[in-house]
Amino acid sequence: MQSAAYSLSSPCSIPSLKPRKFCSRAGFQPIRVSSSFAAPERHEHSVSLPNRSWRLSSSSSLPLRAWNLVPSDSKPDRFEVRATAAESAGEGEKSGSLVKILELGLLFGLWYLFNIYFNIYNKQVLKVFHYPVTISAVQFAVGTIIVSLMWTFNLYKRPKVSGEQLVAIVPLALVHILGNLFTNMSLGKVAVSFTHTIKAMEPFFSVVLSAMFLGELPTVWVVGSLLPIVGGVVLASVTEASFNWPGFWSAMASNLANQSRNVLSKKLMVKKEESLDNITLFSIITIMSFILLAPVAIFVEGIKFTPAYMQSAGLNVKEVVVRSLLAALSFHAYQQVSYMILQRVSPVTHSVGNCVKRVVVIVSSVIFFKTPVSLINSLGTGIALAGVFLYSRVKRIKPKAKAA
């Protein structure tokens, strides 16, 4: 038979039964329950009470803590706290991601809006003030003032630029000048929509220049995406009502200059650990562009951006000056926002956004200036832009490595 022995003992000794005397140890001691198994015929229960305090001992230790009115830090409580903290963290991540999405959407909206205003105001000025070099210099001058104010009031950290970096930036500034100058020349000659249709061929120049100077051979998918771009631009050019060769070649030269800037930035920039972020690099290029272009504008076109000359030419001085300044502000703002977006998204996403931006600019300019557009012209423009979108998607497809 099974037998169990329970013994109750106490470490506290109470010699008398006086009620004022208590055990020296406060609280209840841990209670242990022990059981033992003896021979089948033996069966006994023994209880010894040598003292008035109790201890229940056992071979299997099951500690029971003293009853405390203060809530203990039990496992369910800890689990509950952790679960609550995890839920709070999840809600914080969701709210944080929502804020980032809204912020990115706002930046894309500003990018498109500033681009629309730049093209509209710039076209209005260049239609009556036929000095694209001077207008380009004014735009760089306004950008230089904005950058100087940003650095002066610590809105953006003033960079420490070495002489080696400045030497590397000079070629970038030169092609940056040419890219914006040729764009202004094209906008002065043809419709805004046609200029941006031609500028949709930028991927073509990017692929050709990268293959020539960087050794980056395109994939079959990239080459395939260039076909609708080139075909769409040709179709749109043939049916363009405002077509003329100076406007066409100026836009093509702008493509060549802008993509040369991208190639040079990869080939000529200084070491990676000394490289500048995009916004700082753009700011330095803007200042350098103004310093280089201002004397050229005076030498080539003379000092024409003055009230006296505009009045003598029969122009509305206030309209020309205000629209020129607004175009310059929009020009600098949309490029700054573009680089801010590039810091937050991948180059592929930025390229897709740029394609959508060109569509928005073309449509808005056609509506604002009431540009006559034929069905074939619209089809050509649509094919070219579809090719640009396709290019931005297949650009990330990497060629398969050849087996050894």
Side-chain angles (χ1 to χ4, degrees), residues 128-333:
V128 297
F129 190 80
H130 307 291
Y131 297 100
V133 184
T134 300
I135 292 299
S136 299
V138 169
Q139 291 168 359
F140 290 136
V142 172
T144 300
I145 294 172
I146 294 175
V147 171
S148 300
L149 292 174
M150 288 171 57
W151 289 348
T152 301
F153 293 102
N154 292 324
L155 299 177
Y156 204 83
K157 185 178 179 181
R158 180 180 298 181
K160 295 180 180 180
V161 187
S162 64
E164 185 182 2
Q165 286 176 318
L166 289 176
V167 172
I169 292 173
V170 169
L172 300 179
L174 289 174
V175 292
H176 183 68
I177 291 170
L178 293 175
N180 289 282
L181 176 59
F182 284 127
T183 298
N184 287 335
M185 292 173 64
S186 179
L187 288 173
K189 297 292 184 181
V190 296
V192 174
S193 57
F194 184 55
T195 296
H196 281 275
T197 300
I198 301 173
K199 286 176 70 65
M201 281 192 67
E202 283 184 350
F204 173 83
F205 288 91
S206 177
V207 170
V208 172
L209 293 175
S210 296
M212 290 175 60
F213 297 102
L214 300 178
E216 297 179 357
L217 298 179
T219 63
V220 176
W221 299 103
V222 170
V223 174
S225 68
L226 296 179
L227 297 178
I229 296 176
V230 177
V233 170
V234 171
L235 187 61
S237 300
V238 171
T239 58
E240 173 61 35
S242 65
F243 179 88
N244 60 68
W245 287 109
F248 175 83
W249 287 117
S250 295
M252 293 293 282
S254 174
N255 288 336
L256 178 62
N258 288 332
Q259 297 311 309
S260 298
R261 178 186 61 196
N262 295 339
V263 172
L264 285 172
S265 66
K266 295 180 181 179
K267 198 172 182 66
L268 298 179
M269 282 306 292
V270 292
K271 296 179 181 179
K272 188 175 182 180
E273 60 268 16
E274 299 176 355
S275 62
L276 304 171
D277 63 88
N278 288 328
I279 295 179
T280 300
L281 179 60
F282 170 69
S283 300
I284 296 173
I285 288 176
T286 299
I287 296 174
M288 195 175 290
S289 298
F290 170 66
I291 295 173
L292 295 174
L293 186 60
V296 176
I298 295 174
F299 178 77
V300 174
E301 297 178 346
I303 303 177
K304 296 292 191 295
F305 200 73
T306 61
Y309 176 81
M310 294 179 192
Q311 287 178 353
S312 64
L315 301 176
N316 187 321
V317 178
K318 183 179 179 180
E319 283 186 0
V320 174
V321 172
V322 170
R323 289 174 181 175
S324 297
L325 294 178
L326 289 174
L329 287 171
S330 300
F331 170 75
H332 188 81

Side-chain angles (χ1 to χ4, degrees), residues 34 111 237 242 369:
S34 64
W111 187 23
S237 300
S242 65
F369 293 108

